[in-house]
Amino acid sequence: MKIVTSAERSVYMGKKKVLQESEESLNAIFDASPDAMLICDTDGIIVMASRQTESLLGYLPDELVGQSVEMLIPQRFCAGHPELRNRYIAEPSTRRMGHRREIMALRKNGMECAVEIGLSQIRTSAGIFVACSLHDIRERKATEELLRQSSEKLRSLYELSPLGIALTDAAGNFLECNHAFQVICGYSEQELKDMACWRLTPAAPDSDAPSGSTSETKTHRYAPYEKEYFHKGGHPVRVRLNSVMIGGPQGEKYVWTVLEDITASKIATDKIRELAFFDPLTGLPNRVSLRERLLEILAQDAPAEEHVGVLLIDLDNFKTINDTRGHSMGDMLLIKVADILRHEISGNDIIARLGGDEFVIVLTRLSSDKKEAEERILSVAEAVRSSLDRGVELGVDIHQCTASIGCTLFSHGKIGLEEIMKQIDLAMYCAKGEGRNAVRFFDPAMANLMERRAALEADLNMALKESQFVLFYQGQMKNGKLTGAEVLLRWMHPTRGIVSPAEFIPVAEETGMILPLGLWVLETACAQLSRWGEIPHMAHLSLAVNVSAHQFRQPDFVDRVIAIIEATGVNPKRLKLELTESALMIDIAHIVAKMSTLKALGVSFSLDDFGTGYSSLAYLKRLPLDQLKIDRSFMHDVLTDPNDNTIVRTIMALAEGLQLDVIAEGVETSEQEAFLSGVGCHAYQGYLYSKPVPLEEFMLHCGCWNPKAP
């Protein structure tokens, strides 16, 4: 700070005295202004200072008087200040009071502060002076800095936001849009500014605003609404919008829009819905969707006499293809079946997959005439059954696919959903219980049949636990001598007595109980055969054991047989497994491998019921068989029916060509035996020799076997 001498100070005080003579002007400037006021001479020396300088600059007024004004200017600006002052003195009109500009002032503590300065000349008898007003703008600058920072943050959020943000005018022209908006729509900012917002949407211009429950509120905001935009690339983009209308200074209208791309969310939602209501394998409606559709039909305000038909299609023996050829082949079959069913229905009908191998068809808008409606249902059911029965292409193979179909008919307002499902289920089970590959219409009497079947299933389960099963034995003859026997399963029911296998074996197969049951038969037969091996007059006998298709197709079947042979010590050369054609129709390579493994141990194989199924030389010549068994159905009329006669002769010729033994079952008369002998068949089984008898009876007569026993 410059040291002012007493002589100089007296001069300045004299100048102050002159200025103070203009009391009216000074009062107007100093007392009325809230700003800090300085008066300097043309050399930049401060001759007066107002009391506001203390709060703004930290100096008392008397500390400033006599000092150079440069002391209040930051060092970096001091060098150029005298020139600026001289220029203003020369041209005072350029800086009148009120024409202010912002500068930085240096406070007493050495800190800088922002001020707004105004200059005005004062001409007196003592010379020219310059009045300076310094307006404190620190608070305003702080506020501006906060606003600037806030603006930068908002701009950052605006640009970095994953939501699209755009400003449009009342005509729909884009004025501003952020990066996310450009990405969502595929256009650059300039491209968007060159188009109206209506070009982004396929809808009409006036439909871009929401309507209904999402209409404009009193605050000119729009609730979220969804619509579809066109991306620049041409594909649709599903978006959710929030909009707010704002007014401009001249009354003009603008709209801020926040845009969210919900395409992925919509796809995910649709996928979730698809998984919830549609079968992912076939694309058909699933069980949940079917129930909803049926409930909708039942709730319709339709005439009471209008009929609706429902069909339940259950594929026969579907588990077999999964077990033998793998689930991928089973899946292919389900897809093919779904295509076949689609072909059999019209546009108004419904088709669904309940799960597993079950499908449902709902036939709507049937005739009000009940008989005509029933005929229509049966027509569709038979068409489905026939289409499947013709075979289904699975790659290079044709799979013989059959179905059991249950049908029902109902009118609006007369039945509930659960009752409908129960009826088609009962009808389908009746079709399956009557031999499969059949169509059955619901009848109230079916409920009694199903109750009896449920009771049979429960009894069968108990029979397994309580060992109610026994084996009967029926002798097999060759050239007049007993060569062995076939074991036949019998159920000794505690109250019903002996239950026929024809009654319980189908139930055992459907429920899977055939597996433990078949295993027990094989274990028991092998144990008995092993004991016969220790009896001289029975050691030469063989035992034929029936093996179900379901049992034979189990992956561990061979291992189980080997384990039983080892556990019982039976001579495997005395064990003969009887297989039906249905066990050999699928996956011939695996079948051959299983048979070959067991044949290597000495086990022999007989093809049971030969000629009653889909006999094929293509698979027959590949199978390592030892024997063909002529079915009893051909023997009954072999002497009177030319067809049966021809079939038996053909079987004999075929067996001779394939070098296979032949045994005929169901031989009941000497004439039948004579015929068989005449065509070259010398092995027999039937009532002519013996009925199936318990073990004790078979062994009792084994030593003195009467080949012509009644």
Side-chain angles (χ1 to χ4, degrees), residues 489-541:
L489 184 64
R490 296 292 184 266
W491 179 7
M492 307 300 292
H493 196 281
T495 58
R496 297 175 57 190
I498 297 178
V499 181
S500 169
E503 183 177 352
F504 70 83
I505 289 297
V507 177
E509 289 180 341
E510 283 184 32
T511 59
M513 284 188 275
I514 194 66
L515 296 178
L517 191 55
L519 185 63
W520 176 84
V521 171
L522 189 58
E523 289 174 339
T524 305
C526 285
Q528 187 58 56
L529 187 59
S530 178
R531 287 192 286 271
W532 286 354
E534 300 173 359
I535 303 174
H537 68 277
M538 300 186 72
H540 69 287
L541 298 179

Side-chain angles (χ1 to χ4, degrees), residues 174 177 182 185-196 199-200 232:
F174 285 104
C177 55
Q182 298 168 45
C185 300
Y187 292 94
S188 69
E189 183 174 20
Q190 189 56 52
E191 287 174 324
L192 288 167
K193 288 181 178 180
D194 290 340
M195 67 170 70
R199 287 181 55 188
L200 292 176
K232 183 180 179 181

